[in-house]
Amino acid sequence: MDIMEQVTAGEVKRKGKAAKAASLKMVNLSTAEKNKGLELIAEQLLAQQALILTENAKDLQVGKENGLSDAVLDRIMLNEKRINDMAHAVRLLTELQDPIGETLETIQKDNGLSIQKKRVPIGVIGMVYEARPNVTIDAATLSLKTGNAVILRGSSSAKYSNMALVKIIHQALDKSSIPADGVQLIEDTSRETARELFRLNQYLDVLIPRGGKNLIETVIRESTVPVIETGAGNCHIYIDEHADKTMAEKIVLNAKLQRPSVCNAAESILIHEHWLRQNGKGILEKLAEQQVEIYGDEQVCSSFPSAKRATEEDWAAEYLGLQVSVKTVQSVDEAIAHINTYGTKHSEAIVTNNEANAEKFLSSVDASAVYHNASTRFTDGFEFGYGAEIGISTQKLHARGPMGLKALTSSKFYVYGDGQIRE
């Protein structure tokens, strides 16, 4: 191991050890103590907006110099509204019920044993994420509310913002009962530190990657720590032959354009061939008017000559920008098959007035969230009533969909007796 590897390994292990020690102290915190710490974080975010914006400006400047796309810069960018939104989300967490200590099941045995299954913190959560500095606040505060410590490892593109935000968190926690060591930031964003974190089984209980396809696949492939997969978002809108024209246009434009750089934005549109012949040109023109590049199959390109011919890569692409793939299908079954082949199990929608087709779509599409006559942009912890979310899980074990407070808990059996022994 060379000197650089020794330094990076030292930071990861040192902070892992500190987070583990903090997590053991946090299990006995009351809800009031945790909420007080969260309120102090919200206050500090608002009080130190100038610091956050100054450090965020450094990230944006470096990003521009490094040629980052507008979509990535938008994800990095913080402004007064986004900081206010972060503080508001933290305060909302204080209003949500604390799941820790909730009794999930009670078993009363004939021998007098009373067995209770209760929610408990997971322990130490590792977060590996790209670009968005708001994840620093979401991950930290959701973890703290559930009595978990968290180790954060953001990307170099938001390094200065993340350091400022964690500094603010620590200043707030120093005035609370929550140990400041409960929130750790790996400041070295090299690949060496990432690999160390992936193998930090001694201190980490779970690892959650949040970012693009390459990041998530790397974590899954290289981690020896259990992983909760938060998938990329190749989200589809299927316009059925029985879809209302006005509704379909409204949903597609919202899902694609309301915020193109996020994972629940629509990246692919499937259109029934009958609907395409009758209404397709109008919706494609509206997308093009908003500077959306359209990649279509033969029928789409015939209907709309300015569309570019789609490749196999386009059907699987998460563009995160003003591009969309458009494919013609002959039935709801073909739409389902296409989505289950190319989708990322995130969010999928059908627009139709045919209830049978809607039910077939909702039950057959393999995704964490499925929609009938609504935009995929609603897949979000806040919109689902969870406050913030630590990620959108696209796997099926432990948690699926927007991960709120309960997704950051485990369970433990409490067994109460008065001298029973097993014969």
Side-chain angles (χ1 to χ4, degrees), residues 213-258:
K213 180 180 179 182
N214 290 338
L215 170 69
I216 294 163
E217 289 180 349
T218 298
V219 174
I220 293 170
R221 183 176 62 251
E222 298 188 12
S223 178
T224 57
V225 176
V227 175
I228 296 178
E229 181 179 349
T230 60
N234 179 19
C235 303
H236 298 72
I237 306 290
Y238 166 51
I239 303 175
D240 187 51
E241 64 178 315
H242 304 289
D244 176 80
K245 178 179 181 292
T246 302
M247 179 189 291
E249 290 180 352
K250 183 178 178 181
I251 289 172
V252 165
L253 293 173
N254 176 264
K256 180 68 248 180
L257 295 167
Q258 200 259 347

Side-chain angles (χ1 to χ4, degrees), residues 76-300:
I76 295 170
M77 188 268 290
L78 294 175
N79 54 29
E80 186 174 334
K81 180 182 184 305
R82 290 185 180 182
I83 295 171
N84 287 335
D85 287 346
M86 286 194 295
H88 179 63
V90 175
R91 285 189 164 131
L92 282 179
L93 283 179
T94 68
E95 300 173 9
L96 295 178
Q97 182 176 348
D98 184 355
I100 300 303
E102 177 187 355
T103 299
L104 301 173
E105 185 178 2
T106 299
I107 304 167
Q108 197 67 42
K109 301 292 291 181
D110 291 341
N111 64 1
L113 283 180
S114 177
I115 304 170
Q116 294 182 5
K117 183 180 181 181
K118 298 183 180 183
R119 288 194 189 277
V120 297
I122 289 175
V124 182
I125 295 168
M127 279 294 301
V128 182
Y129 53 105
E130 294 175 321
R132 297 191 185 108
N134 65 290
V135 175
T136 299
I137 296 298
D138 290 348
T141 54
L142 282 160
S143 297
L144 296 177
K145 174 78 177 190
T146 47
N148 293 294
V150 65
I151 302 175
L152 305 165
R153 198 275 185 184
S155 60
S156 59
S157 61
K159 178 178 179 178
Y160 295 108
S161 303
N162 290 336
M163 290 173 64
L165 291 170
V166 171
K167 179 181 179 181
I168 287 168
I169 291 170
H170 285 167
Q171 290 173 344
L173 295 185
D174 283 339
K175 303 173 187 176
S176 78
S177 301
I178 303 174
D181 279 347
V183 178
Q184 299 287 341
L185 175 69
I186 306 300
E187 296 181 3
D188 184 324
T189 57
S190 66
R191 291 181 180 178
E192 287 77 17
T193 60
R195 282 194 287 264
E196 285 293 325
L197 192 63
F198 297 166
R199 293 166 171 77
L200 202 63
N201 297 67
Q202 183 179 0
Y203 302 118
L204 271 182
D205 292 289
V206 69
L207 193 58
I208 304 174
R210 182 168 170 177
K213 180 180 179 182
N214 290 338
L215 170 69
I216 294 163
E217 289 180 349
T218 298
V219 174
I220 293 170
R221 183 176 62 251
E222 298 188 12
S223 178
T224 57
V225 176
V227 175
I228 296 178
E229 181 179 349
T230 60
N234 179 19
C235 303
H236 298 72
I237 306 290
Y238 166 51
I239 303 175
D240 187 51
E241 64 178 315
H242 304 289
D244 176 80
K245 178 179 181 292
T246 302
M247 179 189 291
E249 290 180 352
K250 183 178 178 181
I251 289 172
V252 165
L253 293 173
N254 176 264
K256 180 68 248 180
L257 295 167
Q258 200 259 347
R259 195 174 175 192
S261 65
V262 294
C263 62
N264 56 19
E267 304 288 26
S268 301
I269 303 169
L270 306 178
I271 305 178
H272 193 282
E273 60 179 357
H274 294 162
W275 200 95
L276 179 71
R277 283 197 297 269
Q278 296 172 4
N279 307 301
K281 186 177 179 181
I283 197 169
L284 297 174
E285 285 178 343
K286 285 181 168 61
L287 287 166
E289 287 169 3
Q290 299 297 319
Q291 311 306 312
V292 177
E293 293 181 59
I294 297 169
Y295 296 86
D297 61 12
E298 183 177 351
Q299 287 176 264
V300 169

